[in-house]
Amino acid sequence: MSLLVKGKYILTGVGKAKAEELISDGAVYVEKGQIIEVGPYNDLVVKYKAPEIGSTAHLVIPGLVNAHDHGRGLTLTQLGMADDPLELLLLGLRGSPIDPYLTTLLAGMQQIESGITTTMHCPSPCHPSTFESNLERAIAAYEQLGLRVGFAIPIKNQNFLVYGGDDAFLSSLPMPLARQARALLEEFSVPSPEEYFAIFDHLYRRHMARYPRIKVLFYPVGPQWCSDELLQAIKARSKDLGAGIHLHLLETMYQGIYGLKKYGQSLVELLNGFGFLDSSVTCAHCVWLSERDIEILAHNRVSVVHNPSSNLRLRSGTAPVIRLLDKGVNVAIGLDGITIDDDTDILQEMRLCCRLQNSSPGMVSLTLRSEQSFRMATVNGIKAVLGTENIGTIQPGKRADLVLLRLEEITAMAVDAEQRIVELLVMRGKSAHVDTVIIDGEVVLREGILTKVDKRQVLAEFTDALRSAGATKQPGMEELVTQLKGHLRKYYEEWESWNPNPVTSREAAYFQ
C-alpha cells in the first residue's frame, strides 16, 4: 500500500544541537509502511502516483511515544481514588474486574487520539489463574488497534504492603486488623518465578513472531518489590533471549531510603553491582537519584522515562531531567495513566515537562528547551520502548509513523510561526489538535475518527462492564484500606528522619 502525506510543514525531526528540521509545503511518500522519500509536495506528487492524505492546513510530525503507561483506560479519579503518595495509593489499587481487552482498547484509543503511535504497556501482576489469559487479551487489543507497543510482562515477589517486609508490619497491627490485612495480602497472589518464566517464554516466542508492532519485555516491577535472586534470574534470561527490561526505579523518597536501609547503598548501585544495568534496560521515574546514580545510568547507557504529571500528583518529586540529559542519558516521557488534567494528552505532558524543569529561580539555572522535550517524546521514546532507531523521525528508510495536526489551531496569530514550529507545538499543542494518525503506513485515525475500531461500540461495552463491576464491590474494603493507611503513615514516619546521600532532585530539602 502506498500513500502520499501532504502538509504545510513536515517536521522531520529535531537535531541534538540544532533547531527543527522543517520542509515547507512538503510531502512524505510511503510504501509498504516505509518512508521512501520526503521533499517538496510539487516534486513528489509528480513522481509518485498514490492516494493522498493531508493538506496545506496540516503540520506533519513523527509519531509520539508514551514510554511508560499501565493501560487502565480509566483515570484514578474515575476509579474513585484520590491522589496519595504511591505507598498509600497502591494499598487501594486493585486489578480491574473489567475484561483486559476492553480496558486496553479504551486506553489505546485515547492514546491514538492524542497522537501516540507507540506505547509501553505495564500491566499489574495478578492471580496465576488469570495471569496469562489477561495478558493475551491485552495484546489482542493492541493488535486490533494497530498500535506499536512495548509489552512488559510483570512480576513481583516481596514487600507487597510495605518496603522492608510485610510480616513485621502485620505483626505490629491490632489483632482484628492484622487478620483482615493478611486476608488482603492473599489477594496479591502472583505467579511464582517458575510460572512467570514459562509464561514469558510462551508470550515472547508467540507474539514476537506474529505481530511486527510488538516487543515483549521483562518487567520486574521495581527492585524493592523483587528479590535480588529474581532480578538476577531475569537479567540472565534477558541476555539469553535478547529481550529488554522495563522497571520502576527510585520513584519515591521511601524507595530511596529503602535501598540505604537494607543495602547501605542506592538501588542504582545495587543493580549495577550485579551487572543488571545496560542499554537493554529502561527505568521509569528515577526521581531520587544521586550524582553517582546519574553517572552509573549514563555509563551503562540505561534509558530513563520521566513522568512529570504522575510525580506531581503522587507527591513523588521532580526528576533531574536536565542533569540526566547533560550526562548523555536517553530520557523519554511517559503519561503513567496519571496526568495533570486527568486526561490522555502527550503534547500537554511535553509542555509540563519543560515548565517543571524550568521552575528554578534566577538567570543562571539550566533550562529544558522545547526541542529537547520534543526529542524525548519521539526519538528518545522509541529508543526507550523498542530499542530501535528506525522510527521517530521522518526520513527515508524509516517506518512510517506520522501524525497530522490542524496547524491553524496551533499557530493562530503567532509571530514568525515558521521559525518556531516546535516551540509553538510544545507550548500550545493539545491532543484536540490531532487530526490523523498513521502507524507503519496504516491510517488508524482519519480526521478524528478511529478506523480500526468502532469507538461508540467500545464505549458502550465498557460502560456496561463498568456498571456490572460496580455491583461486585467487596463490602468493608474502603474502611479496611483507610485503617491500614493510618498504620502505613506511622510505619514510614521514622524513615523521613534518615539522611541519605544528597540528591539532585529539588526535593533534596527532605534529606537535609
Side-chain angles (χ1 to χ4, degrees), residues 10 173 196 334 339 378 385 400:
I10 310 293
L173 300 176
Y196 172 79
T339 56
T378 52
V385 176

Side-chain angles (χ1 to χ4, degrees), residues 106-299:
L106 182 60
M109 292 189 317
Q110 294 166 348
Q111 293 187 68
I112 289 172
E113 290 173 333
S114 177
I116 292 166
T117 57
T118 299
T119 188
M120 178 71 86
H121 181 85
C122 303
S124 298
C126 65
H127 195 276
S129 64
T130 58
F131 184 67
E132 186 170 7
S133 62
N134 282 357
L135 297 175
E136 290 278 18
R137 294 289 287 162
I139 290 173
Y142 283 116
E143 290 190 69
Q144 177 65 46
L145 290 163
L147 260 171
R148 288 194 194 279
V149 58
F151 196 90
I153 311 296
I155 186 170
K156 59 194 297 189
N157 70 339
Q158 65 178 23
N159 298 338
F160 290 91
L161 293 176
V162 295
Y163 311 140
D166 295 327
D167 287 339
F169 173 70
L170 289 167
S171 65
S172 72
L173 300 176
M175 186 55 69
L177 183 61
R179 278 199 300 269
Q180 290 177 290
R182 287 187 187 279
L184 178 66
L185 190 57
E186 289 176 11
E187 291 186 23
F188 293 120
S189 177
V190 296
S192 67
E194 293 74 22
E195 292 171 314
Y196 172 79
F197 285 120
I199 291 169
F200 183 94
D201 286 349
H202 175 250
L203 294 175
Y204 182 85
R205 298 183 193 284
R206 178 169 183 238
H207 293 289
M208 292 284 280
R210 62 183 288 274
Y211 180 43
R213 298 181 198 174
I214 194 171
K215 179 181 180 182
V216 177
L217 303 96
F218 288 102
Y219 175 32
V221 180
Q224 64 279 355
W225 291 306
C226 297
S227 66
D228 298 354
E229 295 76 18
L230 177 57
L231 289 167
Q232 291 177 54
I234 285 173
K235 188 61 190 179
R237 193 68 63 91
S238 166
K239 286 182 177 179
D240 289 344
L241 291 174
I245 300 174
H246 189 88
L247 71 158
H248 297 81
L249 181 64
L250 291 177
E251 179 176 356
T252 73
M253 175 175 67
Y254 303 106
Q255 292 171 9
I257 295 170
Y258 170 73
L260 296 169
K261 283 172 69 77
K262 180 168 183 178
Y263 302 102
Q265 60 182 337
S266 80
L267 294 176
V268 173
E269 291 173 311
L270 171 74
L271 294 175
N272 189 51
F274 51 75
F276 188 89
L277 300 173
D278 58 32
S279 61
S280 71
V281 176
T282 296
C283 302
H285 298 287
C286 292
V287 176
W288 295 92
L289 298 172
S290 68
E291 284 291 339
R292 171 65 179 151
D293 292 337
I294 293 173
E295 295 283 352
I296 290 171
L297 295 176
H299 175 76

Side-chain angles (χ1 to χ4, degrees), residues 284-352:
H285 298 287
C286 292
V287 176
W288 295 92
L289 298 172
S290 68
E291 284 291 339
R292 171 65 179 151
D293 292 337
I294 293 173
E295 295 283 352
I296 290 171
L297 295 176
H299 175 76
N300 288 287
R301 296 171 295 128
V302 173
S303 288
V304 167
V305 184
H306 178 40
N307 305 274
S309 282
S310 173
N311 294 338
L312 271 179
R313 288 185 56 179
L314 304 189
R315 288 178 267 168
S316 300
T318 303
V321 170
I322 295 174
R323 291 292 298 132
L324 287 161
L325 290 171
D326 186 54
K327 289 294 183 178
V329 176
N330 182 66
V331 184
I333 291 178
L335 296 178
D336 201 22
I338 313 174
T339 56
I340 200 69
D341 273 351
D342 217 46
D343 58 8
T344 301
D345 195 332
I346 188 76
L347 288 163
Q348 180 161 271
E349 201 71 7
M350 293 157 66
R351 178 159 55 253
L352 181 64

Side-chain angles (χ1 to χ4, degrees), residues 72-74 96 98-99 102-104 106 457-467:
R72 295 188 190 99
L74 297 178
S96 172
I98 298 171
D99 178 4
L102 272 180
T103 301
T104 308
L106 182 60
Q457 181 181 336
V458 173
L459 291 176
E461 291 180 16
F462 195 94
T463 301
D464 288 344
L466 197 61
R467 191 177 296 116

Side-chain angles (χ1 to χ4, degrees), residues 473-492:
K473 283 186 178 178
Q474 288 181 263
M477 180 58 70
E478 238 176 83
E479 184 183 345
L480 172 60
V481 168
T482 299
Q483 289 186 58
L484 286 175
K485 280 184 178 181
H487 288 275
L488 276 177
R489 288 189 178 94
K490 185 177 179 182
Y491 176 85
Y492 285 114

